[in-house]
Amino acid sequence: MDASKGSKKRKAITRDVEEEAGTFSGDELSKKNLNGALSDDANDLSSDEGDSEVELVDDFSSDEEEVEGEEGIDSDEIPSDGGDLVKKKSGTAVDEPARDNDDDESSEEEQINFRIEKDAYGNDRYLYDEINPDDNSELSEADEDANTIGNIPLSFYDEYPHIGYDINGKKIMRPAKGEALDALLDSIEIPKGFTGLTDPSTGKPLELSQDELELLRKVQMNEIPDEGYNPYEPTIEWFSSKQEVMPLSAAPEPKRRFVPSKHEAKRVMKIVKAIREGRILPYKAPEERDEEDPNVIKYDLWADEAEDADPHMHIPAPKLPPPGYEESYHPPPEYLPDNKERKTWEQTDPEDRESEFLPNDFGSLRRVPGYENFVKEKFERCLDLYLAPRVRRSKLNIDPESLLPKLPSPEELKPFPTACATIFRGHKGRVRTLAIDPSGLWLATGGDDGTVRVWELLTGRQLWSTTLNEEDPVNVVKWRPGKDAVVLAAAAGDDVFLAVPPIVDPEVEQASLEILDAGWGYAASRPAPTGADANKKNAPPQWIRPSSSLADSGVYAVIPLRYVVKSLSWHRRGDYFVTVCPGSSTPASVAIAIHTLSKHLTQFPFHRRLKGGGPPQTAHFHPSKPVLFVANQRSVRAYDLSRQLLVKIIQPGARWISSFDIHPTSSTAAGGDNLIVGSYDRRLLWHDLELSPRPYKTLRYHRKAIRSVKFHPGGRYPLFADASDDGSLQIFHGSVTGDMLSNASIVPLKVLKGHKITGELGVLEVDWHPREAWCVSAGADGTCRLWM
Amino acid sequence: MGKIKKKGNSGQAKNYITRTQAVRKLQITLPDFRRLCIFKGIYPREPRNKKKASKTSTPNTTFYYTKDIQYLLHEPLLAKFRDQKSLAKKIARSLGRGEVSDASRLEKNHAPKLTLDHVIKERYPTFIDALRDLDDALSLLFLFANLPSSSHVPPKTIALCQRVTHEFQHYLIATNSLRKSFLSIKGIYYQATIQGQDIMWLVPYRFVQRVNGDVDYRIMATFVEFYTTLLGFVNYRLYSSLGLRYPPKFDTRSDENGAELAAFTLEGRSVGNVPKAIEGNNTKSNALSNQVSSEVQSKVDKVIQDAGLDQTKDEKTVETTEESNDAIDKFEPAAPEADTLDQPDLSAADSGSLFAPFTVYISREAPKAPLEFILRAFGCTRVGWDAVSGDGAFTHDETDTRITHQIVDRPPLPEGALPAAPAAKDGDVPQVKPGTRVPGRTYVQPQWVWDSINEGRLLRPDLYAPGTTLPPHLSPWVKPSRVGYDPKASLAAQEEEGEAELAEEDSGSDEEMEDEKDDKDDKVDEKKNGDAKAAEASDDDDSEEEDGGMDVDLANSDEDEEEDDSESADEDFGGFEDDAASESEDDEEAARSRHQKELEAEAAGLPFSSINGGADEKAKKKSSQAKKIAAKKRKEEEELERQKMMMSRKKRKLLEKMMYSNKKQSDEAAKLRSKRRKLEKGEKGEKGEK
């Protein structure tokens, strides 16, 4: 209320001030009046804030100046400090009585502040008391900056920049103050009820009356806006201890008000009972029980252990390897690192070191220091245990040698042909075929020039040569097996020629002739074929005597087969040989012919074409059994000749079989049949007939077609060779063991190169020496070579 | 048509889960996950194809099996972790409010107690499984038992570790199941066999462990928590299998006095069972040892005191007769030096009786704890030590006449160097002047104990006498392998053929190159020939006649060990047999031809020239040999290539891998051999100078 009044008064006062000031400055008022008015004003404004106080103070100070100059200036020095105001005021309040006292004193002083004494001359002498400035006396403070203008109104200096002079006569400049601005602001007439707002309905400035402002203020201050409302009315006690004559409710007092509760009694009784029975114990502070070590194990965890399958594939952590010799505190001296090793160890990064410590010899146990990385190593082990992924790895602790195939030692493999020993030159054009005679002395060759030549094997000297056919090449030459006679079978064009080269000693030559001639009688004794038979295409041909020129040169029989013979193979005993005419125009029934030397008889055992794989290519007799192997383009068939049965079909998987050979020891003892097949599609296939009809090993070491394959005859050396169009021969070691359990082991041994490739053809045929590990090859370049 | 498979819904993508995913799935923090993994023994897995398993391209992702994590979901520990977390929150809150007593009450009464019993049962369904996995546990616990306490390692943990490890050691002592031990640079390795399981652990030397900054003790503490529980259960089972009460009686006072092992007293479980006397202080004196010592005493009276060697020898003879009672049958084979590893391991009875008849005194400079443990585990019941080393000794009196062996580890000092011993002033224990020997007992260095137990028999103590240079201490776990180097065998026995000659040639031809010889890869095979060796031998002894018999003697005296090792010894080789013994079969031919020549020479009555060893002849031979060797090597390589050609590519790779590792091994062995050769040569040279 007080505050509000103050603020209400404020404007009025601020406006009044000037008038008052004017009055002050104008009139001389009694000090008392002034003081009273001042104090009144001060009281009024005690709760006031803001610039108006400054004004007031200013006025007050100027007023004071009038009263006491020094003091007034003092107060002038602190003009607009609102904070000091209270002090100021209290100061003034305190000063008031003091001033009064002063006034009193000054009046007193005028009377008694001197003594009258007689001086030396007897004159009166006014002796003034020493001025004893009181502590609170302002007079004592002789301020240098004090204004010395004396008791004149300051307004005299209004037009000057200074307000007076100090004790030294210097101008005291007017202190800077907001007075001018304030005066201007105050001079502006503010209409009553000015709010600064615009009334939206009228567009005129909104003016509020004093009551309305008061109401707003109350709302703002959370006061009750109603003027007459008393929030602290005395309460009316409706229900009191006093018996009313007319009570509000006349209902009788309920029973529960005065009867003790049964339910509560029940509950209490329950508790009492529990206490009596000792079920409820009085509270006891939990005493410090002795720390029972929870880590002491009290029972057997594995009392009922059961071996059960690990549910989640646990891999136990691998154990650390045991320490080696180098970790010893006193290792053998050779484990100690030398300077170089030590240096490299120190220079490598700790992460890259092979071992985390250097071996060191401490000599005796007392010199061993602590291992500085112990904690770190254990920590790393811990990390490994829970951070490292574990993988089960089968560790290879096998001897590497055991992985290598069990191979015969190189010494065991020897001998095998390694170098070209002899070159046989003489043929014009390709040498198509060659054969070494069973004694191993001579080599027979046949070539495109239609000649058959016989050479001395070791020297390369040509012993015998005859031209069998002017136009057609000699396709096959083969010696009759057996050393009792020397018979050479050669196929050129459509005919097969049997010759006895005049190179041997007469006895053997005689024997050979006898063998060849023995058959003429049989042929004569046989009924001559009827004309119809002879006309028939597949009638067996008659052996005929050769032309005289041929007979002179040593050819003794000719078998006209009417089709080009490409393959010829003798039976082991030398009485039979089989020829094959692979030409596509050849009727199937006459493609394969078996000739009996002793009877001069030719038979065609097959009436129909072999199934699957085109015309027959080549045929061989089994070395020991009466079985004939016939190869067509894709398969090899074995026929039992005595029972006239197909025994076996071998499918090498080659597209076009060029040649095949049967292992010489096949079916002897316990061993099974082994077969090698060469094909034009660059494959060499080893068949173990006991194993499967498919090849046991497929070797593809040639870049061109394989023309010929051959086992070493006689089984003395487990060698075989193949000849290929890439101009090379390859020699293999293929040993066949006697027992059924172990498979044949094949070892590549040597690549023999020397033949030139002429017209896409390289080596056309290969043959082995019957006793030595030598082989001969017929090249398309017109030479034959002996490799040994 | 089958449903189109969506990526990431089956196979590896489903089977593996990254760590982040796992943590999120389990709703725990990463440290908690880490602890859980440690407790449960769950470790990351390496997917066969990382790309298929991971959905991100981050290269370093750890994968877990989804099933493992699934299995963790039901773990009771997980709930405990959550309780702990909420409790930590409560405590933090009350501490934030300044309610300290509340916080302490919460901490004291509401802290969830982790029990790992079920985890151990799960991880080790059988007791054998637990034993199998004890290696790491023991190593870590022994480390923690020796750690100084710090903020990371509370003293309580250390005490617990000490207790369980000592209990375990007591079991080993009681059953004599310690087998081997090894003093390494890092610490002492022990190996025990319990129920057929070999358990090996490493105990650090007693020094304050240096702790590097990058060691996270929280992880180790988690392991220790698990391992203490595990070892506690194992101990319980082991003790109860012996009929002993678990936990054994623990004397705190004695432990404070440094008794360590002796602070425990094992008790039988039933009343009638006599407590096993592990406590060292049984005053029952050993009549035998008394007798021995008195006997020796009488001898020593006659002998001058400084004849220390004689004394030990006497002692030794006594020992050997003692030991022969039960052990000699076992060690009957004529050459005990050879193939000790081939012999069967010690049985408990053997190991229990190794040190049984002795009274051992451990000097105060020798490490008491490991020696006491080992001696007791190998049957010695009377172990005494200096009072400084702690309580619980059989005797603290160094002058005790019952002591048969004293383990010392101090260098012998000259008499004058010793400070005058203070006169025994009213001391209850008479002092022995340091450096003096009490007559009637064997003084050995600590390594004797270790070597003896590893060897399974008592070794000659004079080799281990104080002040002598000890024989090298060898690890008992290294098995001799074909390619590896064996320091026990003689150099000649394991050299590759011709290696020595080659090395000699190297060093002989250019001496300045000798320093670099070590680095040189001298594994080039050289054909070794017997005559070079023989010539060498005859060079050594110039005075020797060129007589076959002499050669035999020489060889025998030099290389009797070698003789055992060589398996290709041909009987009818006569004088050269021993020299050629170490040759491989490849050289037999050469040797045979030599022999033939020799016989011819003998028949002709001429001295066999090569024994005389003309120097130029030798040189010639050597050069021809080098050629031969080179040719042979080339041939071998060719042969190998040829063989490789026949193999499938997979097998070839495998072969190459194996050959690589084998080559590494053999290179290492060759290096060691060359070092040894150099050393031996140096020794020989020194001897020659003298």
Side-chain angles (χ1 to χ4, degrees):
Chain A
M1 274 262 234
D2 202 30
S4 71
K5 258 181 204 162
S7 68
K8 214 204 269 177
K9 257 190 174 176
R10 186 180 135 195
K11 292 290 172 189
I13 286 164
T14 41
R15 251 175 280 118
D16 291 345
V17 162
E18 210 129 54
E19 294 173 0
E20 277 177 321
T23 358
F24 279 130
S25 51
D27 313 307
E28 287 281 76
L29 280 171
S30 75
K31 280 166 211 167
K32 284 221 164 151
N33 270 348
L34 178 69
N35 274 345
L38 250 184
S39 68
D40 213 351
D41 262 357
N43 280 343
D44 256 5
L45 295 170
S46 64
S47 68
D48 233 345
E49 313 114 352
D51 22 14
S52 60
E53 306 148 24
V54 176
E55 204 105 0
L56 272 177
V57 167
D58 220 5
D59 286 337
F60 160 63
S61 60
S62 62
D63 164 330
E64 274 212 0
E65 269 168 341
E66 286 162 33
V67 182
E68 282 166 23
E70 286 170 6
E71 204 185 40
I73 285 168
D74 253 358
S75 59
D76 237 358
E77 299 274 335
I78 28 166
S80 55
D81 199 351
D84 278 2
L85 181 71
V86 179
K87 186 185 142 203
K88 188 90 243 165
K89 259 175 240 150
S90 64
T92 43
V94 168
D95 283 348
E96 237 178 300
R99 218 171 281 140
D100 286 351
N101 289 349
D102 273 4
D103 285 358
D104 293 349
E105 271 173 5
S106 59
S107 56
E108 269 180 288
E109 247 176 21
E110 277 164 22
Q111 296 144 22
I112 52 147
N113 65 347
F114 57 90
R115 287 186 314 261
I116 305 167
E117 282 182 7
K118 296 287 179 200
D119 63 5
Y121 307 100
N123 294 335
D124 280 7
R125 187 179 173 195
Y126 293 88
L127 272 183
Y128 285 89
D129 284 336
E130 282 292 316
I131 294 166
N132 184 19
D134 207 343
D135 270 352
N136 39 5
S137 156
E138 270 91 352
L139 289 173
S140 64
E141 298 159 21
D143 201 348
E144 276 203 342
D145 296 333
N147 205 347
T148 55
I149 52 171
N151 196 13
I152 56 160
L154 261 181
S155 55
F156 288 10
Y157 287 89
D158 275 350
E159 53 198 282
Y160 297 107
H162 61 280
I163 51 169
Y165 302 92
D166 67 2
I167 203 152
N168 297 321
K170 293 242 174 80
K171 279 176 184 168
I172 298 174
M173 301 311 290
R174 186 185 298 279
K177 52 188 177 185
E179 184 190 15
L181 192 62
D182 289 335
L184 175 70
L185 283 175
D186 284 336
S187 69
I188 295 168
E189 182 83 13
I190 298 175
K192 258 212 156 95
F194 172 77
T195 58
L197 299 172
T198 314
D199 188 356
S201 54
T202 59
K204 287 175 183 169
L206 180 66
E207 287 187 8
L208 295 176
S209 68
Q210 199 60 43
D211 288 346
E212 283 168 329
L213 282 171
E214 181 61 15
L215 187 67
L216 275 178
R217 192 198 61 80
K218 280 190 170 169
V219 168
Q220 205 179 4
M221 302 299 288
N222 271 343
E223 283 170 13
I224 296 160
D226 194 3
E227 197 69 56
Y229 179 73
N230 181 9
Y232 306 112
E233 296 272 6
T235 53
I236 302 159
E237 291 194 353
W238 298 111
F239 300 96
S240 63
S241 53
K242 281 176 203 151
Q243 279 268 300
E244 299 287 333
V245 182
M246 298 287 280
L248 285 180
S249 164
E253 190 87 347
K255 205 176 175 183
R256 62 174 180 274
R257 297 257 169 91
F258 51 88
V259 173
S261 160
K262 244 184 188 173
H263 174 67
E264 275 178 12
K266 235 182 192 169
R267 288 178 66 186
V268 169
M269 273 319 291
K270 225 177 175 176
I271 293 168
V272 168
K273 207 174 164 193
I275 290 171
R276 279 194 192 137
E277 285 176 356
R279 275 188 284 123
I280 294 179
L281 292 174
Y283 173 75
K284 249 193 283 172
E287 80 261 47
E288 293 295 308
R289 58 209 146 108
D290 337 332
E291 201 47 44
E292 171 91 14
D293 195 350
N295 292 312
V296 171
I297 303 302
K298 289 273 169 56
Y299 68 101
D300 188 359
L301 189 68
W302 293 282
D304 51 345
E305 66 182 3
E307 194 77 48
D308 59 343
D310 208 351
H312 50 281
M313 294 158 52
H314 178 73
I315 304 174
K319 295 189 170 192
L320 286 172
Y325 295 134
E326 65 281 351
E327 212 179 308
S328 168
Y329 86 101
H330 180 48
E334 54 267 30
Y335 283 93
L336 296 176
D338 51 21
N339 286 335
K340 199 167 174 188
E341 280 166 341
R342 186 182 297 276
K343 209 185 234 169
T344 44
W345 187 85
E346 276 160 3
Q347 275 167 0
T348 40
D349 197 60
E351 281 179 4
D352 299 338
R353 284 172 188 166
E354 263 185 32
S355 70
E356 68 271 35
F357 61 90
L358 267 183
N360 203 345
D361 188 0
F362 293 105
S364 66
L365 196 54
R366 66 175 178 277
R367 297 212 189 92
V368 183
Y371 183 58
E372 55 180 17
N373 284 336
F374 199 97
V375 178
K376 201 175 163 218
E377 268 179 25
K378 280 286 156 280
F379 174 64
E380 269 159 14
R381 172 71 178 168
C382 286
L383 287 187
D384 282 351
L385 282 179
Y386 90 100
L387 277 183
R390 295 180 197 164
V391 181
R392 218 186 275 276
R393 223 174 246 145
S394 53
K395 199 172 175 190
L396 292 170
N397 210 5
I398 334 164
D399 187 14
E401 306 293 324
S402 65
L403 268 186
L404 291 170
K406 284 249 163 24
L407 290 177
S409 73
E411 275 65 36
E412 220 177 290
L413 295 176
K414 277 175 185 169
F416 50 87
T418 52
C420 177
T422 317
I423 300 178
F424 305 89
R425 293 176 210 274
H427 274 288
K428 294 177 196 71
R430 303 174 188 127
V431 183
R432 293 232 167 200
T433 175
L434 85 177
I436 299 178
D437 91 295
S439 63
L441 294 174
W442 306 297
L443 172 71
T445 58
D448 270 2
D449 54 359
T451 59
V452 172
R453 292 158 201 252
V454 175
W455 318 70
E456 202 172 46
L457 183 67
L458 289 173
T459 57
R461 192 164 63 92
Q462 187 179 320
L463 297 175
W464 179 72
S465 171
T466 184
T467 307
L468 295 181
N469 195 324
E470 300 291 341
E471 300 101 51
D472 293 324
V474 177
N475 280 322
V476 201
V477 288
K478 280 279 158 19
W479 295 94
R480 176 179 172 272
K483 289 175 186 170
D484 53 335
V486 178
V487 175
L488 180 67
D494 293 350
D495 303 327
V496 177
F497 301 87
L498 294 167
V500 180
I503 45 171
V504 289
D505 51 3
E507 287 175 23
V508 178
E509 196 175 344
Q510 194 55 47
S512 312
L513 282 175
E514 276 172 15
I515 286 172
L516 274 183
D517 287 340
W520 295 119
Y522 281 99
S525 68
R526 240 183 353 219
T530 58
D533 282 347
N535 289 344
K536 265 172 80 181
K537 272 221 162 175
N538 54 1
Q542 291 290 315
W543 293 32
I544 52 172
R545 290 186 185 272
S547 60
S548 57
S549 61
L550 278 176
D552 287 346
S553 63
V555 179
Y556 292 97
V558 177
I559 310 166
L561 277 174
R562 297 194 290 267
Y563 297 102
V564 178
V565 178
K566 285 276 174 109
S567 159
L568 188 152
S569 177
W570 284 90
H571 186 260
R572 169 179 53 98
R573 283 213 295 269
D575 199 17
Y576 306 98
F577 61 94
V578 60
T579 56
V580 177
C581 310
S584 51
S585 56
T586 318
S589 55
V590 297
I592 302 165
I594 294 176
H595 312 272
T596 314
L597 184 62
S598 57
K599 294 179 181 168
H600 285 201
L601 181 67
T602 298
Q603 292 163 299
F604 297 115
F606 296 95
H607 301 294
R608 272 168 294 167
R609 174 175 285 274
L610 301 176
K611 266 180 208 152
Q617 296 292 315
T618 176
H620 290 291
F621 288 103
H622 189 278
S624 53
K625 284 190 276 191
V627 172
L628 179 69
F629 288 87
V630 181
N632 61 8
Q633 281 180 3
R634 283 199 287 277
S635 64
V636 180
R637 284 151 201 262
Y639 295 93
D640 190 328
L641 291 176
S642 57
R643 290 183 290 155
Q644 308 273 319
L645 275 177
L646 175 64
V647 181
K648 197 161 261 176
I649 301 175
I650 302 145
Q651 286 172 325
R655 290 214 200 96
W656 195 319
I657 294 167
S658 61
S659 63
F660 72 97
D661 197 14
I662 304 156
H663 196 273
T665 60
S666 288
S667 290
T668 55
D673 290 358
N674 287 281
L675 204 70
I676 47 171
V677 178
S679 75
Y680 289 113
D681 52 348
R682 293 169 285 180
R683 272 183 259 196
L684 175 65
L685 307 125
W686 179 288
H687 276 274
D688 192 334
L689 300 194
E690 300 289 318
L691 279 178
S692 81
R694 301 250 144 230
Y696 159 61
K697 282 271 151 72
T698 303
L699 314 174
R700 304 187 65 154
Y701 291 117
H702 279 296
R703 282 177 285 106
K704 291 267 178 67
I706 293 173
R707 290 263 158 191
S708 166
V709 292
K710 203 71 132 206
F711 276 114
H712 191 280
R716 184 165 171 199
Y717 299 111
L719 297 172
F720 63 94
D722 62 352
S724 164
D725 275 348
D726 60 6
S728 69
L729 294 108
Q730 286 180 346
I731 314 292
F732 296 87
H733 178 98
S735 67
V736 179
T737 51
D739 58 337
M740 302 288 265
L741 286 175
S742 56
N743 291 326
S745 73
I746 305 168
V747 185
L749 290 176
K750 196 80 189 167
V751 178
L752 300 175
K753 285 180 188 159
H755 284 288
K756 288 188 201 73
I757 300 168
T758 38
E760 299 284 299
L761 296 175
V763 188
L764 296 179
E765 177 129 44
V766 64
D767 198 12
W768 287 93
H769 190 276
R771 290 187 309 278
E772 305 290 340
W774 301 341
C775 68
V776 288
S777 58
D781 54 354
T783 62
C784 297
R785 282 161 192 265
L786 168 68
W787 309 87
M788 57 197 295
Chain B
M1 187 186 150
K3 242 184 162 180
I4 292 172
K5 266 190 166 179
K6 248 181 144 186
K7 209 182 157 192
N9 279 346
S10 63
Q12 292 205 335
K14 204 98 197 271
N15 288 341
Y16 291 98
I17 186 169
T18 64
R19 196 185 61 179
T20 327
Q21 285 170 333
V23 166
R24 213 175 285 160
K25 186 167 191 178
L26 295 174
Q27 300 182 2
I28 48 174
T29 58
L30 189 58
D32 272 350
F33 176 70
R34 218 176 270 154
R35 284 182 76 197
L36 196 60
C37 283
I38 291 171
F39 285 145
K40 295 288 281 183
I42 283 168
Y43 48 87
R45 309 281 176 147
E46 196 73 11
R48 218 170 279 144
N49 188 341
K50 268 202 163 181
K51 237 182 194 167
K52 275 185 191 163
S54 81
K55 287 165 189 99
T56 63
S57 56
T58 323
N60 296 326
T61 330
T62 21
F63 292 97
Y64 289 86
Y65 270 154
T66 312
K67 288 211 170 151
D68 278 352
I69 303 301
Q70 204 83 35
Y71 161 75
L72 280 184
L73 270 175
H74 310 292
E75 179 54 49
L77 284 177
L78 207 58
K80 282 276 160 65
F81 284 161
R82 290 191 185 125
D83 287 352
Q84 245 168 9
K85 198 171 133 193
S86 63
L87 179 77
K89 272 185 190 164
K90 280 179 197 165
I91 290 173
R93 188 174 53 202
S94 45
L95 280 178
R97 287 173 175 169
E99 297 159 346
V100 181
S101 66
D102 243 19
S104 72
R105 179 183 58 79
L106 280 171
E107 197 175 7
K108 204 170 138 200
N109 297 336
H110 294 265
K113 289 200 173 57
L114 290 182
T115 49
L116 299 174
D117 305 10
H118 65 284
V119 177
I120 286 169
K121 187 71 203 275
E122 254 170 30
R123 278 182 70 175
Y124 308 109
T126 61
F127 183 55
I128 296 291
D129 292 336
L131 285 179
R132 217 173 276 154
D133 219 11
L134 219 51
D135 280 26
D136 289 310
L138 284 170
S139 293
L140 197 65
L141 292 183
F142 270 103
L143 169 65
F144 265 68
N146 285 331
L147 276 187
S149 70
S150 65
S151 58
H152 305 294
V153 192
K156 216 168 159 190
T157 309
I158 295 171
L160 179 63
C161 290
Q162 278 169 348
R163 186 174 64 77
V164 287
T165 50
H166 282 147
E167 283 164 5
F168 184 71
Q169 282 181 325
H170 266 298
Y171 170 79
L172 297 180
I173 290 169
T175 55
N176 293 321
S177 38
L178 189 68
R179 286 291 170 273
K180 279 162 185 168
S181 181
F182 176 56
L183 296 166
S184 90
I185 293 177
K186 297 179 180 178
I188 304 172
Y189 286 89
Y190 296 96
Q191 190 185 39
T193 307
I194 301 172
Q195 301 192 1
Q197 296 297 325
D198 283 341
I199 303 165
M200 191 173 73
W201 69 98
L202 174 61
V203 180
Y205 290 117
R206 290 263 171 113
F207 289 101
V208 174
Q209 297 297 330
R210 209 177 85 172
V211 174
N212 306 57
D214 48 355
V215 170
D216 187 356
Y217 271 99
R218 286 172 304 174
I219 288 170
M220 301 237 287
T222 313
F223 272 101
V224 165
E225 192 180 351
F226 178 74
Y227 285 152
T228 45
T229 321
L230 170 65
L231 191 58
F233 277 115
V234 168
N235 281 347
Y236 186 92
R237 171 87 174 198
L238 291 175
Y239 274 62
S240 50
S241 72
L242 288 185
L244 297 172
R245 178 174 294 153
Y246 185 85
K249 211 183 197 175
F250 180 60
D251 186 355
T252 324
R253 165 103 50 88
S254 147
D255 186 53
E256 276 162 9
N257 289 336
E260 293 178 342
L261 274 181
F264 291 83
T265 317
L266 306 196
E267 296 165 321
R269 210 185 259 156
S270 56
V271 185
N273 209 336
V274 181
K276 186 136 182 158
I278 295 300
E279 196 68 37
N281 275 325
N282 56 348
T283 47
K284 184 185 77 174
S285 64
N286 191 346
L288 185 65
S289 69
N290 258 350
Q291 181 201 329
V292 166
S293 57
S294 62
E295 185 187 320
V296 174
Q297 200 76 43
S298 62
K299 270 182 193 166
V300 163
D301 288 344
K302 294 167 197 168
V303 181
I304 319 158
Q305 188 154 2
D306 62 345
L309 272 175
D310 292 347
Q311 185 190 322
T312 49
K313 256 179 201 166
D314 288 345
E315 187 74 12
K316 197 183 78 201
T317 55
V318 172
E319 270 162 33
T320 45
T321 53
E322 232 169 66
E323 123 189 76
S324 67
N325 291 335
D326 54 346
I328 206 151
D329 290 332
K330 280 244 148 135
F331 300 108
E332 202 137 56
E337 291 91 356
D339 298 341
T340 46
L341 283 164
D342 290 349
Q343 286 173 342
D345 273 353
L346 288 172
S347 67
D350 287 337
S351 66
S353 61
L354 189 65
F355 296 123
F358 305 139
T359 307
V360 183
Y361 185 84
I362 303 168
S363 291
R364 64 168 184 268
E365 70 278 0
K368 184 206 99 188
L371 279 171
E372 182 199 2
F373 170 52
I374 287 183
L375 288 172
R376 285 198 173 166
F378 281 83
C380 184
T381 49
R382 301 173 300 277
V383 186
W385 54 81
D386 199 283
V388 178
S389 307
D391 247 3
F394 169 67
T395 173
H396 289 310
D397 180 10
E398 201 178 335
T399 57
D400 196 323
T401 50
R402 290 170 297 179
I403 295 169
T404 58
H405 285 74
Q406 180 162 355
I407 295 168
V408 288
D409 194 9
R410 46 172 93 115
L413 293 174
E415 277 298 315
L418 293 170
K425 31 186 172 176
D426 58 84
D428 42 0
V429 176
Q431 292 290 316
V432 178
K433 211 170 82 177
T436 55
R437 303 273 173 90
V438 177
R441 68 174 73 153
T442 314
Y443 285 84
V444 284
Q445 294 197 43
Q447 196 191 323
W448 177 75
V449 176
W450 269 275
D451 283 357
S452 294
I453 65 164
N454 289 340
E455 203 77 358
R457 65 198 170 86
L458 296 171
L459 296 173
R460 281 166 56 191
D462 57 331
L463 293 177
Y464 298 88
T468 54
T469 307
L470 293 168
H473 184 55
L474 297 177
S475 165
W477 291 288
V478 180
K479 299 253 178 337
S481 71
R482 206 168 53 82
V483 282
Y485 169 73
D486 183 12
K488 278 177 279 192
S490 73
L491 188 59
Q494 46 187 331
E495 265 170 350
E496 279 172 44
E497 32 177 318
E499 198 182 307
E501 273 66 35
L502 196 70
E504 200 169 288
E505 216 173 81
D506 282 351
S507 62
S509 58
D510 37 5
E511 301 242 324
E512 69 275 5
M513 292 284 278
E514 206 164 17
D515 290 358
E516 288 157 24
K517 198 183 77 179
D518 299 338
D519 321 315
K520 206 181 280 180
D521 198 6
D522 50 1
K523 78 169 198 33
V524 184
D525 296 355
E526 192 177 337
K527 207 167 212 169
K528 185 181 173 188
N529 57 343
D531 42 351
K533 205 146 189 277
E536 213 179 296
S538 62
D539 281 354
D540 282 345
D541 282 30
D542 290 330
S543 64
E544 224 171 309
E545 299 279 307
E546 51 278 359
D547 186 316
M550 273 293 208
D551 264 341
V552 173
D553 286 344
L554 177 73
N556 276 342
S557 61
D558 278 354
E559 309 160 356
D560 50 351
E561 288 178 10
E562 193 183 328
E563 203 172 27
D564 305 307
D565 295 348
S566 59
E567 61 281 274
S568 64
D570 208 336
E571 283 313 310
D572 41 353
F573 255 78
F576 284 89
E577 185 251 295
D578 288 315
D579 292 336
S582 58
E583 289 174 2
S584 66
E585 295 97 329
D586 286 33
D587 304 322
E588 269 183 12
E589 216 170 332
R592 195 163 286 147
S593 67
R594 244 200 67 69
H595 182 58
Q596 186 60 38
K597 265 189 224 165
E598 188 200 5
L599 285 179
E600 280 167 16
E602 247 177 297
L606 296 166
F608 191 42
S609 61
S610 73
I611 292 182
N612 286 346
D616 50 342
E617 195 181 328
K618 236 204 280 182
K620 210 189 283 172
K621 231 169 223 165
K622 263 180 194 165
S623 64
S624 72
Q625 255 175 38
K627 260 183 220 161
K628 235 189 266 172
I629 285 158
K632 193 180 166 194
K633 194 172 178 218
R634 207 178 315 126
K635 216 182 279 174
E636 268 173 13
E637 267 171 16
E638 265 174 29
E639 169 70 14
L640 189 71
E641 284 303 309
R642 204 171 55 79
Q643 283 180 334
K644 268 192 201 165
M645 202 169 88
M646 285 301 288
M647 297 169 79
S648 66
R649 185 184 299 167
K650 201 173 158 191
K651 271 195 165 180
R652 200 183 306 149
K653 272 190 179 165
L654 196 66
L655 175 87
E656 270 158 15
K657 226 185 257 175
M658 283 176 0
M659 296 230 304
Y660 171 78
S661 66
N662 275 15
K663 186 171 173 288
K664 214 168 144 191
Q665 266 186 346
S666 63
D667 279 0
E668 223 156 76
K671 202 166 146 191
L672 289 169
R673 276 198 297 270
S674 77
K675 267 189 186 174
R676 170 140 167 210
R677 199 174 302 117
K678 218 164 128 190
L679 287 167
E680 278 179 2
K681 212 179 192 186
E683 275 173 28
K684 214 182 269 176
E686 271 173 35
K687 259 183 216 167
E689 276 165 35
K690 277 171 194 173

